[in-house]
Amino acid sequence: MQFYSTNDPTHKASLAEAIFRGLPADNGLYMPERLDPLPREFFQELPYLSFAEIGYRISRHLLGEDVPDADLKSLVYDAVNFPAPVVKLDEQRYVLELFHGPSLAFKDFGARFMSRLMGYFNQGNKQELVILVATSGDTGGAVAAGFYQTPGIEVVILYPKGKVSLLQEKQLTTLGHNIHALEVDGTFDDCQAIVKQAFLDQELRQEIRLSSANSINISRLIPQSFYYFEAYKQLGAKGDDVAFCIPSGNFGNLTAGLLAQRMGLPVRHFIAATNQNDVVPEFLKTGVYTPRPSVPTLSNAMDVGAPSNFARMLNLYGQVNGLDPLNPATHQAMRELITGFAYDDDRTEDAVREVEQRFGYVIDPHGAVGYLALTEWQQSNPGTRGVILETAHPSKFKPDVERILGHEIEVPQRLAELENREKVARPMGTAYAPVKQWLREQFL
Ligand SMILES: *Cc1c(COP(=O)(O)O)cnc(C)c1O
């Protein structure tokens, strides 16, 4: 498979190049050159396939020319080694639990797939690889767990000081070994800007082999398409009666759903659910895209003011070159398939309570935003079934969820153990130069 840049369709890269570079030099994003529908047998056999096998078939469909079948199969089965169950709330509404991996968030799928693919292509390379990643909370934990003790790979995680939960912070600052944390006195967007600058810094890149692990990396996105098929299978769905509702920040998860649809998954509709950081719902409504600084909310993993995958979404709907002015036809095509809704923290808190009262289900604040959006969308689309992607386990946001519900909630053992571990993080400002200097001291 070749990959092209959203800023220049003639710029091509191989899978290994796209993964290790993360970002094309023109500041676009990599996209797979072909997104053909999966073969008919895949859909015929889908009801009987395991989740890991679904992942392998999709991977082979996309990457079969790049990785031999046997290697690809063991890599995917190793990455997809935990379930994604669909839980029924009522006849119309379902929750797809994506939090059964090591860091209790959906990002485990991307991080585990990516680390194994990178490990595969990195075999026999003498120079160590440094993964740079900005996190608004959950990426860091997933990447730390996914890459922990991967030979030849060092991981540097930048996170906004005071803006991630205690347990999130522990997930990325307590592993040690090849996992390093930088605590940035700023916002997630500041962290993301530093990472982008490092990738565009040719001098640094001559010295250190850098790669990214944010949702901008195409290898994070591919495995996120697997669980759309898995949910469809579990629902025994036929035709396109199922809508997917995606609590969104950088819109990687939603973009992965769009990829799944391009690969032939029948989808009734996509619902983009955000908190007050609502630039995409606003765009879907008005056709005007206005990125702006993020504001902090209860669902902090979605506090993104300039979603990085937006360029990919546009590209899938006809934007040939990301630097071209927005085309009204692109907006129109997206609106037909995606509807956006945004909610403030008060509504989100109400929804967390409502879901517990009505269904006895503890939902996290990100999932609660999804619940609101699906419920609102279904008011004008009765008779549909909707799946809310539950992106994290509620215990990742324990203090908030317990305050909202007024009682304690269960914490899975592997998260509880972290509480007593010691945090190790290097304080940083929002400037790029000190980060660069630190990278050179560490890795040269
Ligand atoms: C990362 C994250 C999101 C946002 O996902 P995107 O793919 O960036 O849109 C939503 N919820 C949780 C819990 C997350 O960790």
Side-chain angles (χ1 to χ4, degrees):
M1 175 72 77
Q2 292 275 103
F3 295 82
Y4 65 89
S5 166
T6 52
N7 278 356
D8 174 7
T10 67
H11 173 106
K12 297 278 167 67
S14 69
L15 174 63
E17 283 164 350
I19 292 176
F20 287 123
R21 277 192 208 145
L23 215 59
D26 62 13
N27 214 7
L29 294 171
Y30 285 117
M31 285 292 279
E33 191 179 43
R34 281 178 292 107
L35 279 169
D36 305 328
L38 285 144
R40 196 178 326 165
E41 312 88 73
F42 173 82
F43 290 98
Q44 284 162 352
E45 294 169 25
L46 182 62
Y48 315 103
L49 300 180
S50 69
F51 186 19
E53 183 65 21
I54 290 172
Y56 167 56
R57 301 275 183 104
I58 296 169
S59 304
R60 193 178 58 186
H61 177 68
L62 291 174
L63 314 176
E65 300 156 7
D66 305 278
V67 185
D69 285 359
D71 291 321
L72 193 58
K73 186 163 186 170
S74 68
L75 182 160
V76 176
Y77 271 68
D78 185 32
V80 185
N81 68 348
F82 53 92
V86 173
V87 174
K88 181 176 178 176
L89 297 181
D90 60 17
E91 293 301 328
Q92 275 78 48
R93 291 171 288 189
Y94 298 79
V95 174
L96 173 61
E97 293 185 344
L98 299 175
F99 55 67
H100 293 276
S103 81
L104 308 176
F106 80 85
K107 295 188 174 74
D108 285 324
F109 289 100
R112 290 176 67 82
F113 185 82
M114 178 185 193
S115 66
R116 280 148 186 80
L117 208 51
M118 275 193 168
Y120 172 80
F121 283 118
N122 200 42
Q123 281 167 5
N125 215 315
K126 294 247 159 33
Q127 198 190 353
E128 71 193 347
L129 180 70
V130 177
I131 308 280
L132 264 190
V133 52
T135 183
S136 58
D138 279 344
T139 297
V143 169
F147 282 87
Y148 182 56
Q149 292 189 320
T150 303
I153 302 185
E154 298 286 323
V155 177
V156 178
I157 299 165
L158 292 85
Y159 71 99
K161 178 179 173 170
K163 295 191 179 63
V164 303
S165 77
L166 179 73
L167 284 172
Q168 284 177 330
E169 186 174 37
K170 294 272 178 171
Q171 284 186 323
L172 43 103
T173 59
T174 61
L175 284 174
H177 283 274
N178 59 330
I179 312 295
H180 315 264
L182 301 182
E183 184 177 16
V184 174
D185 198 356
T187 63
F188 167 68
D189 293 335
D190 294 321
C191 298
Q192 195 151 260
I194 293 172
V195 169
K196 275 208 168 190
Q197 233 177 320
F199 282 112
L200 296 171
D201 182 341
Q202 292 313 321
E203 185 189 52
L204 184 72
R205 301 199 66 173
Q206 307 250 308
E207 298 171 332
I208 299 176
R209 277 180 73 217
L210 278 188
S211 194
S212 79
N214 281 87
S215 51
I216 53 179
N217 197 297
I218 189 69
S219 67
R220 284 267 310 267
L221 226 45
I222 289 169
Q224 290 175 209
S225 69
F226 302 167
Y227 41 74
Y228 287 88
F229 290 92
E230 171 69 10
Y232 189 84
K233 172 192 92 180
Q234 286 182 43
L235 284 168
K238 299 227 158 46
D240 68 350
D241 67 325
V242 175
F244 286 93
C245 179
I246 301 103
S248 295
N250 265 318
F251 283 81
N253 233 349
L254 197 141
T255 303
L258 301 176
L259 298 184
Q261 193 193 35
R262 288 293 163 95
M263 289 187 279
L265 184 72
V267 176
R268 174 65 170 264
H269 205 72
F270 288 102
I271 300 147
T274 72
N275 57 33
Q276 279 173 280
N277 297 286
D278 63 345
V279 299
V280 172
E282 181 184 87
F283 164 77
L284 290 166
K285 222 168 274 158
T286 65
V288 180
Y289 181 63
T290 316
R292 43 183 168 253
S294 62
V295 295
T297 76
L298 192 61
S299 44
N300 66 45
M302 313 199 299
D303 294 349
V304 181
S308 51
N309 282 292
F310 187 62
R312 284 193 170 113
M313 293 168 65
L314 292 177
N315 188 261
L316 281 169
Y317 292 93
Q319 180 96 1
V320 178
N321 181 335
L323 305 171
D324 291 346
L326 280 187
N327 181 344
T330 297
H331 175 239
Q332 192 50 39
M334 286 171 77
R335 266 173 76 116
E336 277 165 25
L337 188 69
I338 313 169
T339 304
F341 296 96
Y343 301 94
D344 64 19
D345 283 355
D346 286 343
R347 294 293 305 276
T348 307
E349 294 199 8
D350 287 343
V352 172
R353 280 186 289 267
E354 179 181 323
V355 171
E356 178 172 66
Q357 276 156 17
R358 291 186 62 176
F359 310 109
Y361 188 82
V362 179
I363 201 162
D364 96 292
H366 303 77
V369 171
Y371 172 80
L372 288 166
L374 177 62
T375 303
E376 186 167 349
W377 181 77
Q378 284 183 324
Q379 277 165 8
S380 45
N381 293 274
T384 51
R385 288 195 292 173
V387 178
I388 302 153
L389 272 58
E390 174 55 322
T391 47
H393 191 280
S395 66
K396 289 201 84 169
F397 310 95
K398 186 173 178 317
D400 283 323
V401 175
E402 292 187 340
R403 175 182 56 76
I404 295 165
L405 292 177
H407 62 78
E408 285 195 11
I409 60 168
E410 216 178 299
V411 179
Q413 181 65 18
R414 59 192 186 283
L415 197 59
E417 281 167 1
L418 280 178
E419 230 154 344
N420 301 321
R421 296 248 204 116
E422 195 199 341
K423 162 185 162 184
V424 179
R426 167 93 184 196
M428 283 287 174
T430 57
Y432 169 61
V435 174
K436 177 174 181 178
Q437 191 187 338
W438 180 87
L439 287 169
R440 300 184 73 211
E441 284 162 14
Q442 288 287 316
F443 302 116
L444 282 189

